[in-house]
Amino acid sequence: MTHPSPTIDAVTRELQTLRDFWRYAISRFNAADLSYGHGTTTASDDAAFLLLDSLDLPIDVLDPFLDARLLPEERRLLAERIEARVTTRKPTSYLTGRAYIQGVRFHVDERVIVPRSHIGEILFTEYLGEDGSGFLPDPLMVESALDLCTGSGCLAVLAAKFFPAAEVDAVDLSADALEVAKLNVAEHAVEAQVRLLSGDLFAPLKGRRYDIIITNPPYVDHEALAGYPPEFRAEPVMAHDGGEDGLDLVRRILEEAADYLNPGGGLLCEIGSGREILEEEFPELEFHWIETAESQDAVFWISAEELGVED
């Protein structure tokens, strides 16, 4: 037997603390059988993110605030967003308007995919580790960087921060996505470094060469797209659609990247689950697969020289 959901007015009136709202949100999310994967993996984590981000609290610190009593307007805001998460099935980041990569905040809305690239983790791990990166170029020596399929611009912004001497080009085919990227570039004050360009992959970059190319292109295959839950269908389909087997754009990038790389540079590319297909189709290439917290082979690095760039 199902019970009617409490009204927003009732929730606002009856629940008082963050703990109350967290418990209520988890129950509602579980009952609605929501899907996750936009920075959270469980009902508990998604509820915590919705509550903390909505209240401008640190998104990774819940315990100190659990028994804090909330103001009436805060309670209504949380009640409304919990209800919206259940009824619209939109990712929580679309409801709060924010997403995070390694704690760095970015603006998001339904014009862009919610950023969750493994590449952000890799940049932080490789460049902030004690010994530096074993394969990525020296960040202080990078003078030019390219972010293909930039979306919200988050990786371009991170590139500008990690490569302080670099000019960073960021390309996307979606005019809507570039408008969001423009907001993030301004928010992080990297306008002097990042240039946003409209076009299909390398098309707007004739004559340009880069010390590093980073890309998180659409790589979802059509079978997976057809089975998407509402949370993923809420995102722009062009940000996911990688063709029949998911690798249409990855193939194009591999075939063209050498024309845009400087000697000593390389390509850092996220591909999802297509490793076997890629290695079978490009047996002459030596991919360096990078382990992350959630995957062992979703991202590869390949040097400019391996792609045929001559010194």
Side-chain angles (χ1 to χ4, degrees):
M1 177 180 178
T2 59
H3 300 281
S5 300
T7 66
I8 289 174
D9 285 342
V11 173
T12 302
R13 182 175 60 252
E14 296 297 331
L15 304 185
Q16 298 294 318
T17 67
L18 198 62
R19 187 186 301 274
D20 293 338
F21 278 92
W22 189 38
R23 196 284 309 161
Y24 172 69
I26 294 170
S27 295
R28 290 295 307 280
F29 292 1
N30 283 332
D33 195 25
L34 300 184
S35 293
Y36 311 99
H38 295 87
T40 62
T41 57
T42 66
S44 175
D45 287 346
D46 203 60
F49 172 64
L50 185 151
L51 302 179
L52 293 168
D53 202 40
S54 293
L55 296 175
D56 274 325
L57 294 171
I59 60 165
D60 55 352
V61 182
L62 178 62
D63 287 355
F65 307 108
L66 278 173
D67 295 313
R69 290 172 60 88
L70 303 174
L71 296 171
E73 57 268 29
E74 293 175 327
R75 301 202 302 271
R76 174 161 287 276
L77 174 65
L78 297 184
E80 289 173 346
R81 287 188 173 173
I82 291 168
E83 188 67 19
R85 179 70 177 91
V86 170
T87 57
T88 70
R89 295 290 298 269
K90 293 179 181 179
T92 294
S93 282
Y94 283 165
L95 303 178
T96 69
R98 296 185 289 226
Y100 297 78
I101 293 182
Q102 300 293 303
V104 181
R105 177 190 284 184
F106 298 96
H107 170 81
V108 296
D109 59 40
E110 284 150 288
R111 294 175 289 180
V112 294
I113 192 172
V114 177
R116 50 192 179 272
S117 174
H118 298 296
I119 291 175
E121 176 192 337
I122 290 167
L123 292 176
F124 274 84
T125 301
E126 292 296 315
Y127 283 139
L128 298 185
E130 291 184 4
D131 301 322
S133 179
F135 57 93
L136 295 178
D138 183 335
L140 297 180
M141 300 301 291
V142 173
E143 296 181 352
S144 57
L146 170 62
D147 176 21
L148 278 183
C149 307
T150 192
S152 60
C154 55
L155 293 181
V157 168
L158 292 179
K161 293 177 180 290
F162 277 110
F163 310 131
E167 294 180 353
V168 181
D169 285 345
V171 178
D172 207 283
L173 189 57
S174 167
D176 283 342
L178 289 172
E179 287 299 316
V180 177
K182 184 177 180 181
L183 295 175
N184 283 315
V185 167
E187 177 67 25
H188 288 273
V190 290
E191 299 101 320
Q193 271 184 276
V194 178
R195 180 174 65 152
L196 300 174
L197 298 164
S198 175
D200 183 11
L201 296 183
F202 296 102
L205 301 170
K206 300 303 183 187
R208 297 277 293 174
R209 285 187 177 267
Y210 301 91
D211 296 325
I212 184 171
I213 298 172
I214 58 177
T215 181
N216 180 25
Y219 55 69
V220 181
D221 64 71
H222 285 173
E223 182 179 354
L225 275 177
Y228 261 1
E231 283 84 350
F232 290 87
R233 291 203 302 270
E235 296 179 296
V237 66
M238 71 179 293
H240 289 284
D241 188 354
E244 188 63 33
D245 66 1
L247 294 176
D248 284 2
L249 275 79
V250 177
R251 291 184 181 93
R252 290 177 55 196
I253 291 168
L254 278 172
E255 289 163 357
E256 298 179 45
D259 293 334
Y260 299 89
L261 279 169
N262 288 322
L267 168 68
L268 186 64
C269 178
E270 183 166 335
I271 68 161
S273 58
R275 175 176 178 173
E276 286 188 18
I277 300 173
L278 212 58
E279 290 184 329
E280 185 174 335
E281 285 192 24
F282 296 90
E284 74 282 6
L285 296 182
E286 184 175 345
F287 299 98
H288 173 62
W289 297 96
I290 306 165
E291 184 174 353
T292 66
E294 297 181 3
S295 174
Q296 293 184 326
D297 52 9
V299 182
F300 67 79
W301 167 260
I302 189 165
S303 70
E305 285 67 27
E306 184 66 30
L307 288 169
V309 177
E310 296 183 0
D311 204 338

